[in-house]
Amino acid sequence: MIGVNRLLLATGLLILGQFGFAQEFVEVSVDEEKFKVSSSKGISIADFDNDGDDDFYVTASNEDIPNRLFRNDGNWNFTDVTEESGLGYIARSKTAIWFDANADGLLDIYVSNVRSRDQLFRNNGDGSFTNITESTGIINVNTPFSVLCGDLNGDFWPDIYVTNFLDQNQLWINKEDFSFQNKIIGSGAESKSKDMGAVMYDYDMDGDQDIYITYDGGDPNKLLENDGTGSFIDVAPDYNMDYQGFGMGVDFADFNHDGTYDIYVTNLYDNLLYLSSNNNFSDVAAFNGLNDYGMTWGVIAFDYNNDTHSDIYIINEYGFSPYSNILYRNNGNGNFVNVSNGTPMESNHNGFGGAYGDFDQDGKLDIVVANVTDPGVQVFKNQASAGNYVSFTLLDNSPNLFAIGAKVQVLVDGVWLYDEVTAGSGYNSQNSYNLHFGTGDIETVDAVKVIWTNGESQTFENVSTNKRYLLVNGSEMQEFDAIVYSEILAGNTPPPSDEVVITSSLKTENILSTWPNPVNDEFNISLSGQLKKVTVTNTAGQEINIPVSKFKENHWKMNTSLLPVGIYQIAITSESAIHYQRIIKQ
């Protein structure tokens, strides 16, 4: 059981932590000429070709060096497909983000550059990309340090937030059809300070995407709380998170299994671990052995050994301050142990960005690190002795097809594990879209709960471990199949093959879909069961009478043409439940 494992792990770590762990990761990129990308600062991991395994893109900060795209061909064979893809963009590139800008089932890529215009490349679906920047309306010619993607205004289209160093940050709202509008002014997310790394996640778990930003040069960090419409307020001072130092990177996880997200911030000198407790955050890095003194840029929060506890890997610029990279193992009782001494994970180079993905699909998370000097890009294979796991690939039934912001919770031996889909984290980097959970020695988890971006949830019981699953909004969970996955993304919905196993024992009833949001003249409701009642209330709690008519079987329409502009809550009552949703009337 988990409790017994924690005691055994803690005892073992006290001994092994003194000597390091021999070869829990091995560098597979050693002497590989193709990975020697000079001036590399960012790593962005995603499955760009929809074949079921993760690929990665490398940004080069030297204006004479092209960015690189590496396609995963299996068995640790990566092919440099930069030339044929058309993604060998040459600029002082900082970071890149994979996201589906036009809801066609293909991941496009946004590339940010220092003092030259950021670029957006459309995925053509045949391995090639087309630069469509000129027609998108996106103009950012600054010094970007972070690019994040998620639905910020509640319309289910993925938007873009860019932090710029000493220039105005940018908030690019997706207007569909590869068209974007900068809505930064008046959003509350403005900043022209020393903005560095950032992360977009739902810190207060209220259903919308918030943003935490780190700052260099003594400027206070910010926690931008989203009201769901793309309007923000900085609440960092309220939660003791407005640290003033030399912040660089950031990542989040529930490190102590209390059901709320914590934050780890990299910094010149002491790093920070903000644990959430009683509606406040406290820095416990020094107490927990996490206050590295190096020039730390990248950070990865992940469970590398599948023991249910989120570990931390930090990436140091060794040439600036001679401190190695460190893999901190979370022993589950509040303490972390450096387990990288004497291993390849020390990586005494000038590291910046880093990200994770399960490249060989063996149920253990691997790492890619970007260095500005030799050896360039380092690819680390995870060969640790690890526990069981479950992983999930999510697809939504909205324009946010890859489900950025959707949450998965896994119940393991009475403990809930939490994570959510993000696009952008750490420093100049992006982790895999797949969500991964270690389950220790547990072979069947009690429950898996999925909370989709429209607020609807599904729960599945008695789920077998050591498998990757495909979760499609409104459908049963099924074992991941690359052919089924690619067909769904292509707009087809093939039946599961004989090899695909339906694993859930609890099916969500009365599946609900609503659209559009924001709404103008008409709001649509699709419900698999019977619609009993629809109640609309404004922000003052006043009920507003709006006619609802049945359009066809399981489909109703609500006339919102006379509804004043504003934010409203809708309560949709079915035969067995009340579904709550917030909508925006334009």
Short mmCIF file of all heavy atoms in Angstrom, two decimals, residues 71-132:
data_model
loop_
_atom_site.label_atom_id
_atom_site.label_comp_id
_atom_site.label_asym_id
_atom_site.label_seq_id
_atom_site.Cartn_x
_atom_site.Cartn_y
_atom_site.Cartn_z
N ARG A 71 11.70 14.22 -35.45
CA ARG A 71 10.56 13.30 -35.49
C ARG A 71 10.93 11.98 -34.80
O ARG A 71 12.00 11.42 -35.04
CB ARG A 71 10.16 13.01 -36.93
CG ARG A 71 8.87 12.18 -37.08
CD ARG A 71 8.62 11.85 -38.53
NE ARG A 71 9.65 10.96 -39.06
CZ ARG A 71 10.09 10.99 -40.32
NH1 ARG A 71 9.60 11.87 -41.17
NH2 ARG A 71 11.03 10.15 -40.72
N ASN A 72 10.05 11.53 -33.95
CA ASN A 72 10.25 10.27 -33.23
C ASN A 72 9.81 9.11 -34.12
O ASN A 72 8.63 8.97 -34.44
CB ASN A 72 9.42 10.30 -31.93
CG ASN A 72 9.67 9.11 -31.04
OD1 ASN A 72 10.33 8.16 -31.41
ND2 ASN A 72 9.11 9.15 -29.84
N ASP A 73 10.74 8.27 -34.49
CA ASP A 73 10.43 7.12 -35.34
C ASP A 73 10.43 5.81 -34.56
O ASP A 73 10.39 4.72 -35.15
CB ASP A 73 11.45 7.02 -36.49
CG ASP A 73 11.31 8.17 -37.47
OD1 ASP A 73 10.18 8.66 -37.65
OD2 ASP A 73 12.33 8.60 -38.03
N GLY A 74 10.48 5.89 -33.25
CA GLY A 74 10.42 4.71 -32.41
C GLY A 74 11.78 4.12 -32.12
O GLY A 74 12.77 4.37 -32.82
N ASN A 75 11.86 3.35 -31.03
CA ASN A 75 13.10 2.67 -30.62
C ASN A 75 14.27 3.64 -30.47
O ASN A 75 15.40 3.32 -30.79
CB ASN A 75 13.47 1.57 -31.63
CG ASN A 75 12.42 0.48 -31.69
OD1 ASN A 75 11.91 0.04 -30.66
ND2 ASN A 75 12.08 0.06 -32.90
N TRP A 76 13.96 4.83 -29.98
CA TRP A 76 14.96 5.86 -29.72
C TRP A 76 15.67 6.34 -30.99
O TRP A 76 16.79 6.82 -30.95
CB TRP A 76 15.97 5.40 -28.67
CG TRP A 76 15.32 5.32 -27.33
CD1 TRP A 76 14.87 4.20 -26.69
CD2 TRP A 76 14.97 6.43 -26.50
NE1 TRP A 76 14.26 4.54 -25.51
CE2 TRP A 76 14.31 5.90 -25.36
CE3 TRP A 76 15.14 7.81 -26.59
CZ2 TRP A 76 13.83 6.70 -24.33
CZ3 TRP A 76 14.67 8.61 -25.57
CH2 TRP A 76 14.03 8.05 -24.45
N ASN A 77 14.96 6.23 -32.10
CA ASN A 77 15.44 6.79 -33.36
C ASN A 77 14.70 8.09 -33.64
O ASN A 77 13.49 8.10 -33.83
CB ASN A 77 15.21 5.80 -34.51
CG ASN A 77 16.03 4.55 -34.38
OD1 ASN A 77 17.23 4.62 -34.10
ND2 ASN A 77 15.40 3.39 -34.56
N PHE A 78 15.46 9.18 -33.63
CA PHE A 78 14.90 10.49 -33.95
C PHE A 78 15.50 10.97 -35.27
O PHE A 78 16.72 10.93 -35.46
CB PHE A 78 15.21 11.51 -32.86
CG PHE A 78 14.52 11.23 -31.55
CD1 PHE A 78 15.10 10.45 -30.58
CD2 PHE A 78 13.25 11.76 -31.30
CE1 PHE A 78 14.48 10.19 -29.38
CE2 PHE A 78 12.61 11.51 -30.11
CZ PHE A 78 13.22 10.71 -29.14
N THR A 79 14.63 11.42 -36.17
CA THR A 79 15.07 11.90 -37.47
C THR A 79 14.94 13.41 -37.53
O THR A 79 13.88 13.96 -37.20
CB THR A 79 14.23 11.25 -38.60
OG1 THR A 79 14.35 9.84 -38.52
CG2 THR A 79 14.71 11.74 -39.96
N ASP A 80 16.01 14.07 -37.97
CA ASP A 80 15.97 15.51 -38.15
C ASP A 80 15.20 15.80 -39.44
O ASP A 80 15.68 15.56 -40.54
CB ASP A 80 17.40 16.06 -38.24
CG ASP A 80 17.44 17.58 -38.31
OD1 ASP A 80 16.40 18.19 -38.61
OD2 ASP A 80 18.52 18.15 -38.06
N VAL A 81 13.96 16.28 -39.28
CA VAL A 81 13.10 16.55 -40.44
C VAL A 81 12.92 18.05 -40.65
O VAL A 81 11.94 18.50 -41.22
CB VAL A 81 11.73 15.87 -40.28
CG1 VAL A 81 11.88 14.36 -40.31
CG2 VAL A 81 11.03 16.31 -38.99
N THR A 82 13.91 18.81 -40.19
CA THR A 82 13.82 20.27 -40.25
C THR A 82 13.61 20.77 -41.68
O THR A 82 12.73 21.60 -41.94
CB THR A 82 15.09 20.90 -39.66
OG1 THR A 82 15.27 20.43 -38.33
CG2 THR A 82 14.99 22.40 -39.66
N GLU A 83 14.42 20.28 -42.59
CA GLU A 83 14.40 20.80 -43.96
C GLU A 83 13.06 20.53 -44.64
O GLU A 83 12.43 21.43 -45.21
CB GLU A 83 15.53 20.20 -44.78
CG GLU A 83 15.65 20.79 -46.17
CD GLU A 83 16.88 20.32 -46.91
OE1 GLU A 83 17.75 19.67 -46.29
OE2 GLU A 83 16.98 20.60 -48.13
N GLU A 84 12.60 19.27 -44.58
CA GLU A 84 11.35 18.95 -45.28
C GLU A 84 10.12 19.54 -44.60
O GLU A 84 9.09 19.74 -45.24
CB GLU A 84 11.19 17.43 -45.43
CG GLU A 84 11.34 16.64 -44.16
CD GLU A 84 12.72 16.06 -43.97
OE1 GLU A 84 13.71 16.82 -44.09
OE2 GLU A 84 12.82 14.85 -43.69
N SER A 85 10.24 19.83 -43.31
CA SER A 85 9.09 20.40 -42.60
C SER A 85 8.91 21.88 -42.86
O SER A 85 7.82 22.42 -42.71
CB SER A 85 9.25 20.17 -41.09
OG SER A 85 10.28 20.98 -40.55
N GLY A 86 10.00 22.57 -43.19
CA GLY A 86 9.94 24.01 -43.37
C GLY A 86 10.01 24.78 -42.06
O GLY A 86 9.71 25.98 -42.03
N LEU A 87 10.41 24.10 -40.97
CA LEU A 87 10.49 24.75 -39.67
C LEU A 87 11.90 25.13 -39.26
O LEU A 87 12.15 25.42 -38.09
CB LEU A 87 9.88 23.83 -38.59
CG LEU A 87 8.36 23.67 -38.63
CD1 LEU A 87 7.89 22.75 -37.51
CD2 LEU A 87 7.65 25.02 -38.54
N GLY A 88 12.82 25.17 -40.22
CA GLY A 88 14.18 25.58 -39.91
C GLY A 88 14.31 27.09 -39.88
O GLY A 88 15.21 27.65 -40.54
N TYR A 89 13.44 27.74 -39.14
CA TYR A 89 13.44 29.20 -39.09
C TYR A 89 14.73 29.69 -38.44
O TYR A 89 15.20 29.13 -37.44
CB TYR A 89 12.22 29.68 -38.29
CG TYR A 89 12.01 31.16 -38.35
CD1 TYR A 89 11.56 31.78 -39.51
CD2 TYR A 89 12.25 31.95 -37.23
CE1 TYR A 89 11.35 33.15 -39.56
CE2 TYR A 89 12.05 33.33 -37.28
CZ TYR A 89 11.60 33.91 -38.45
OH TYR A 89 11.41 35.27 -38.50
N ILE A 90 15.31 30.74 -39.00
CA ILE A 90 16.57 31.28 -38.49
C ILE A 90 16.32 32.67 -37.92
O ILE A 90 15.96 33.61 -38.64
CB ILE A 90 17.65 31.34 -39.59
CG1 ILE A 90 17.93 29.94 -40.14
CG2 ILE A 90 18.93 31.96 -39.04
CD1 ILE A 90 18.94 29.91 -41.26
N ALA A 91 16.46 32.79 -36.64
CA ALA A 91 16.34 34.05 -35.90
C ALA A 91 16.92 33.78 -34.53
O ALA A 91 17.44 32.69 -34.27
CB ALA A 91 14.89 34.51 -35.82
N ARG A 92 16.86 34.71 -33.67
CA ARG A 92 17.27 34.47 -32.28
C ARG A 92 16.05 33.94 -31.53
O ARG A 92 15.45 34.62 -30.72
CB ARG A 92 17.82 35.74 -31.65
CG ARG A 92 19.10 36.26 -32.29
CD ARG A 92 19.48 37.63 -31.74
NE ARG A 92 19.71 37.57 -30.29
CZ ARG A 92 19.81 38.64 -29.51
NH1 ARG A 92 19.67 39.86 -30.05
NH2 ARG A 92 20.03 38.52 -28.22
N SER A 93 15.70 32.70 -31.84
CA SER A 93 14.47 32.12 -31.31
C SER A 93 14.64 31.75 -29.84
O SER A 93 15.67 31.22 -29.44
CB SER A 93 14.05 30.89 -32.11
OG SER A 93 13.75 31.24 -33.44
N LYS A 94 13.58 32.01 -29.05
CA LYS A 94 13.63 31.71 -27.63
C LYS A 94 12.81 30.47 -27.27
O LYS A 94 13.28 29.57 -26.59
CB LYS A 94 13.10 32.90 -26.83
CG LYS A 94 13.96 34.13 -26.91
CD LYS A 94 15.22 33.98 -26.08
CE LYS A 94 14.94 34.23 -24.62
NZ LYS A 94 16.16 34.25 -23.81
N THR A 95 11.56 30.46 -27.70
CA THR A 95 10.69 29.36 -27.31
C THR A 95 9.65 29.13 -28.39
O THR A 95 9.46 29.96 -29.28
CB THR A 95 10.01 29.66 -25.97
OG1 THR A 95 9.30 28.50 -25.52
CG2 THR A 95 9.03 30.81 -26.09
N ALA A 96 8.99 27.98 -28.32
CA ALA A 96 7.96 27.63 -29.29
C ALA A 96 6.86 26.85 -28.58
O ALA A 96 7.12 26.13 -27.62
CB ALA A 96 8.55 26.81 -30.43
N ILE A 97 5.64 26.99 -29.07
CA ILE A 97 4.50 26.32 -28.48
C ILE A 97 3.70 25.61 -29.57
O ILE A 97 3.32 26.21 -30.57
CB ILE A 97 3.58 27.33 -27.74
CG1 ILE A 97 4.29 27.87 -26.52
CG2 ILE A 97 2.27 26.67 -27.33
CD1 ILE A 97 4.58 26.85 -25.44
N TRP A 98 3.44 24.31 -29.34
CA TRP A 98 2.56 23.53 -30.21
C TRP A 98 1.12 23.70 -29.74
O TRP A 98 0.80 23.49 -28.57
CB TRP A 98 2.92 22.05 -30.14
CG TRP A 98 4.26 21.67 -30.66
CD1 TRP A 98 5.38 21.39 -29.93
CD2 TRP A 98 4.63 21.49 -32.04
NE1 TRP A 98 6.43 21.05 -30.76
CE2 TRP A 98 6.00 21.10 -32.05
CE3 TRP A 98 3.95 21.61 -33.25
CZ2 TRP A 98 6.69 20.83 -33.24
CZ3 TRP A 98 4.64 21.34 -34.43
CH2 TRP A 98 5.99 20.95 -34.41
N PHE A 99 0.22 24.08 -30.64
CA PHE A 99 -1.21 24.14 -30.33
C PHE A 99 -1.99 24.12 -31.63
O PHE A 99 -1.47 24.46 -32.69
CB PHE A 99 -1.54 25.38 -29.50
CG PHE A 99 -1.58 26.67 -30.28
CD1 PHE A 99 -2.77 27.34 -30.49
CD2 PHE A 99 -0.42 27.23 -30.80
CE1 PHE A 99 -2.81 28.53 -31.21
CE2 PHE A 99 -0.44 28.42 -31.51
CZ PHE A 99 -1.65 29.07 -31.73
N ASP A 100 -3.24 23.71 -31.55
CA ASP A 100 -4.11 23.64 -32.73
C ASP A 100 -4.86 24.95 -32.84
O ASP A 100 -5.88 25.16 -32.19
CB ASP A 100 -5.07 22.46 -32.59
CG ASP A 100 -5.90 22.23 -33.84
OD1 ASP A 100 -5.73 22.99 -34.81
OD2 ASP A 100 -6.73 21.29 -33.83
N ALA A 101 -4.37 25.84 -33.70
CA ALA A 101 -4.91 27.19 -33.78
C ALA A 101 -6.26 27.26 -34.46
O ALA A 101 -7.05 28.17 -34.20
CB ALA A 101 -3.91 28.10 -34.52
N ASN A 102 -6.57 26.30 -35.34
CA ASN A 102 -7.80 26.40 -36.15
C ASN A 102 -8.70 25.18 -36.01
O ASN A 102 -9.61 24.98 -36.81
CB ASN A 102 -7.45 26.61 -37.62
CG ASN A 102 -6.68 25.43 -38.21
OD1 ASN A 102 -5.99 24.71 -37.48
ND2 ASN A 102 -6.79 25.23 -39.52
N ALA A 103 -8.48 24.36 -35.00
CA ALA A 103 -9.35 23.22 -34.68
C ALA A 103 -9.50 22.25 -35.84
O ALA A 103 -10.59 21.71 -36.10
CB ALA A 103 -10.72 23.71 -34.20
N ASP A 104 -8.39 21.98 -36.55
CA ASP A 104 -8.44 21.02 -37.65
C ASP A 104 -7.79 19.69 -37.28
O ASP A 104 -7.62 18.81 -38.13
CB ASP A 104 -7.78 21.59 -38.90
CG ASP A 104 -6.27 21.81 -38.75
OD1 ASP A 104 -5.77 21.72 -37.60
OD2 ASP A 104 -5.61 22.08 -39.77
N GLY A 105 -7.42 19.52 -35.98
CA GLY A 105 -6.83 18.27 -35.55
C GLY A 105 -5.35 18.16 -35.80
O GLY A 105 -4.77 17.07 -35.64
N LEU A 106 -4.71 19.26 -36.15
CA LEU A 106 -3.27 19.28 -36.41
C LEU A 106 -2.61 20.35 -35.54
O LEU A 106 -3.11 21.47 -35.47
CB LEU A 106 -2.99 19.58 -37.89
CG LEU A 106 -3.53 18.57 -38.90
CD1 LEU A 106 -3.45 19.15 -40.31
CD2 LEU A 106 -2.76 17.26 -38.81
N LEU A 107 -1.51 20.00 -34.91
CA LEU A 107 -0.82 20.94 -34.04
C LEU A 107 0.03 21.90 -34.87
O LEU A 107 0.96 21.49 -35.58
CB LEU A 107 0.07 20.20 -33.04
CG LEU A 107 -0.68 19.46 -31.92
CD1 LEU A 107 0.29 18.61 -31.12
CD2 LEU A 107 -1.41 20.44 -31.01
N ASP A 108 -0.29 23.18 -34.79
CA ASP A 108 0.50 24.24 -35.41
C ASP A 108 1.56 24.67 -34.41
O ASP A 108 1.59 24.22 -33.26
CB ASP A 108 -0.43 25.39 -35.79
CG ASP A 108 -1.67 24.90 -36.53
OD1 ASP A 108 -1.53 24.38 -37.64
OD2 ASP A 108 -2.78 25.02 -35.97
N ILE A 109 2.45 25.58 -34.82
CA ILE A 109 3.53 25.97 -33.90
C ILE A 109 3.78 27.47 -33.97
O ILE A 109 3.88 28.06 -35.06
CB ILE A 109 4.83 25.18 -34.19
CG1 ILE A 109 5.85 25.42 -33.08
CG2 ILE A 109 5.36 25.44 -35.58
CD1 ILE A 109 7.01 24.44 -33.10
N TYR A 110 3.84 28.06 -32.79
CA TYR A 110 4.15 29.48 -32.62
C TYR A 110 5.60 29.58 -32.15
O TYR A 110 5.99 28.95 -31.17
CB TYR A 110 3.22 30.08 -31.56
CG TYR A 110 3.39 31.56 -31.29
CD1 TYR A 110 2.47 32.49 -31.76
CD2 TYR A 110 4.44 32.03 -30.51
CE1 TYR A 110 2.60 33.85 -31.48
CE2 TYR A 110 4.59 33.38 -30.23
CZ TYR A 110 3.66 34.29 -30.72
OH TYR A 110 3.81 35.63 -30.44
N VAL A 111 6.41 30.36 -32.87
CA VAL A 111 7.83 30.51 -32.56
C VAL A 111 8.10 31.96 -32.18
O VAL A 111 7.81 32.88 -32.94
CB VAL A 111 8.71 30.11 -33.76
CG1 VAL A 111 10.19 30.26 -33.41
CG2 VAL A 111 8.41 28.69 -34.20
N SER A 112 8.65 32.16 -30.97
CA SER A 112 8.96 33.53 -30.52
C SER A 112 10.44 33.82 -30.71
O SER A 112 11.29 32.93 -30.56
CB SER A 112 8.56 33.71 -29.06
OG SER A 112 9.41 32.97 -28.21
N ASN A 113 10.74 35.06 -31.02
CA ASN A 113 12.10 35.46 -31.39
C ASN A 113 12.48 36.77 -30.72
O ASN A 113 11.63 37.62 -30.45
CB ASN A 113 12.21 35.62 -32.91
CG ASN A 113 11.67 34.43 -33.66
OD1 ASN A 113 12.25 33.35 -33.63
ND2 ASN A 113 10.54 34.61 -34.32
N VAL A 114 13.78 36.94 -30.49
CA VAL A 114 14.30 38.16 -29.89
C VAL A 114 14.48 39.25 -30.95
O VAL A 114 15.25 39.08 -31.89
CB VAL A 114 15.64 37.90 -29.17
CG1 VAL A 114 16.23 39.20 -28.62
CG2 VAL A 114 15.45 36.89 -28.04
N ARG A 115 13.73 40.31 -30.80
CA ARG A 115 13.85 41.50 -31.64
C ARG A 115 13.58 41.24 -33.12
O ARG A 115 14.01 42.00 -33.99
CB ARG A 115 15.21 42.16 -31.47
CG ARG A 115 15.41 42.76 -30.08
CD ARG A 115 14.35 43.80 -29.79
NE ARG A 115 14.37 44.28 -28.41
CZ ARG A 115 13.47 45.10 -27.89
NH1 ARG A 115 12.47 45.52 -28.63
NH2 ARG A 115 13.54 45.48 -26.63
N SER A 116 12.89 40.17 -33.41
CA SER A 116 12.33 39.97 -34.75
C SER A 116 10.94 39.36 -34.55
O SER A 116 10.65 38.77 -33.51
CB SER A 116 13.20 39.07 -35.62
OG SER A 116 13.29 37.76 -35.10
N ARG A 117 10.09 39.50 -35.53
CA ARG A 117 8.68 39.17 -35.37
C ARG A 117 8.47 37.69 -35.03
O ARG A 117 9.07 36.80 -35.64
CB ARG A 117 7.93 39.53 -36.66
CG ARG A 117 6.43 39.39 -36.57
CD ARG A 117 5.78 39.90 -37.86
NE ARG A 117 4.33 39.78 -37.81
CZ ARG A 117 3.52 40.16 -38.80
NH1 ARG A 117 4.04 40.72 -39.90
NH2 ARG A 117 2.22 40.01 -38.71
N ASP A 118 7.60 37.45 -34.04
CA ASP A 118 7.20 36.08 -33.75
C ASP A 118 6.49 35.49 -34.97
O ASP A 118 5.87 36.22 -35.76
CB ASP A 118 6.25 36.03 -32.55
CG ASP A 118 6.97 36.35 -31.24
OD1 ASP A 118 8.19 36.58 -31.27
OD2 ASP A 118 6.29 36.37 -30.19
N GLN A 119 6.58 34.16 -35.12
CA GLN A 119 6.06 33.50 -36.31
C GLN A 119 5.04 32.42 -35.94
O GLN A 119 5.17 31.76 -34.91
CB GLN A 119 7.21 32.85 -37.09
CG GLN A 119 8.35 33.79 -37.45
CD GLN A 119 7.97 34.82 -38.48
OE1 GLN A 119 7.46 34.48 -39.55
NE2 GLN A 119 8.22 36.08 -38.18
N LEU A 120 4.04 32.24 -36.81
CA LEU A 120 3.07 31.16 -36.66
C LEU A 120 3.09 30.31 -37.92
O LEU A 120 2.93 30.83 -39.03
CB LEU A 120 1.66 31.71 -36.42
CG LEU A 120 0.56 30.67 -36.22
CD1 LEU A 120 0.86 29.77 -35.03
CD2 LEU A 120 -0.80 31.34 -36.06
N PHE A 121 3.30 29.01 -37.73
CA PHE A 121 3.37 28.06 -38.84
C PHE A 121 2.18 27.12 -38.79
O PHE A 121 1.91 26.49 -37.76
CB PHE A 121 4.67 27.24 -38.76
CG PHE A 121 5.92 28.04 -38.98
CD1 PHE A 121 6.52 28.71 -37.92
CD2 PHE A 121 6.51 28.13 -40.24
CE1 PHE A 121 7.68 29.44 -38.10
CE2 PHE A 121 7.67 28.87 -40.43
CZ PHE A 121 8.26 29.53 -39.37
N ARG A 122 1.49 27.01 -39.91
CA ARG A 122 0.34 26.10 -40.02
C ARG A 122 0.81 24.69 -40.37
O ARG A 122 1.63 24.50 -41.28
CB ARG A 122 -0.63 26.58 -41.09
CG ARG A 122 -1.91 25.73 -41.22
CD ARG A 122 -2.73 26.17 -42.40
NE ARG A 122 -2.04 25.89 -43.66
CZ ARG A 122 -2.11 26.67 -44.73
NH1 ARG A 122 -2.81 27.79 -44.69
NH2 ARG A 122 -1.47 26.35 -45.84
N ASN A 123 0.29 23.71 -39.65
CA ASN A 123 0.59 22.31 -39.93
C ASN A 123 -0.26 21.86 -41.12
O ASN A 123 -1.49 21.89 -41.08
CB ASN A 123 0.25 21.47 -38.69
CG ASN A 123 0.72 20.03 -38.80
OD1 ASN A 123 0.88 19.48 -39.88
ND2 ASN A 123 0.93 19.40 -37.65
N ASN A 124 0.39 21.43 -42.20
CA ASN A 124 -0.31 21.03 -43.41
C ASN A 124 -0.80 19.58 -43.38
O ASN A 124 -1.53 19.15 -44.28
CB ASN A 124 0.59 21.22 -44.64
CG ASN A 124 0.99 22.67 -44.82
OD1 ASN A 124 0.19 23.58 -44.62
ND2 ASN A 124 2.25 22.90 -45.19
N GLY A 125 -0.36 18.82 -42.38
CA GLY A 125 -0.83 17.45 -42.25
C GLY A 125 -0.04 16.43 -43.02
O GLY A 125 -0.33 15.22 -42.93
N ASP A 126 0.96 16.88 -43.76
CA ASP A 126 1.79 15.94 -44.54
C ASP A 126 3.25 16.00 -44.12
O ASP A 126 4.14 15.57 -44.86
CB ASP A 126 1.67 16.27 -46.04
CG ASP A 126 2.10 17.70 -46.37
OD1 ASP A 126 2.50 18.45 -45.44
OD2 ASP A 126 2.03 18.09 -47.56
N GLY A 127 3.50 16.52 -42.92
CA GLY A 127 4.87 16.65 -42.44
C GLY A 127 5.47 18.00 -42.72
O GLY A 127 6.58 18.28 -42.26
N SER A 128 4.75 18.84 -43.46
CA SER A 128 5.27 20.16 -43.79
C SER A 128 4.44 21.24 -43.11
O SER A 128 3.30 21.02 -42.69
CB SER A 128 5.25 20.39 -45.31
OG SER A 128 3.92 20.51 -45.78
N PHE A 129 5.04 22.44 -43.01
CA PHE A 129 4.39 23.58 -42.37
C PHE A 129 4.51 24.80 -43.28
O PHE A 129 5.48 24.94 -44.02
CB PHE A 129 5.05 23.88 -41.01
CG PHE A 129 4.82 22.82 -39.97
CD1 PHE A 129 5.52 21.62 -40.01
CD2 PHE A 129 3.90 23.01 -38.96
CE1 PHE A 129 5.31 20.63 -39.06
CE2 PHE A 129 3.68 22.04 -38.01
CZ PHE A 129 4.39 20.84 -38.06
N THR A 130 3.51 25.69 -43.17
CA THR A 130 3.50 26.92 -43.96
C THR A 130 3.50 28.11 -43.01
O THR A 130 2.70 28.17 -42.07
CB THR A 130 2.25 26.98 -44.85
OG1 THR A 130 2.24 25.87 -45.74
CG2 THR A 130 2.23 28.28 -45.65
N ASN A 131 4.39 29.06 -43.26
CA ASN A 131 4.44 30.28 -42.47
C ASN A 131 3.28 31.19 -42.86
O ASN A 131 3.21 31.68 -43.99
CB ASN A 131 5.78 31.00 -42.69
CG ASN A 131 6.00 32.12 -41.69
OD1 ASN A 131 5.07 32.73 -41.19
ND2 ASN A 131 7.26 32.38 -41.38
N ILE A 132 2.36 31.41 -41.92
CA ILE A 132 1.16 32.22 -42.21
C ILE A 132 1.13 33.48 -41.37
O ILE A 132 0.08 34.11 -41.23
CB ILE A 132 -0.12 31.39 -41.98
CG1 ILE A 132 -0.19 30.91 -40.52
CG2 ILE A 132 -0.20 30.22 -42.94
CD1 ILE A 132 -1.53 30.34 -40.15
#
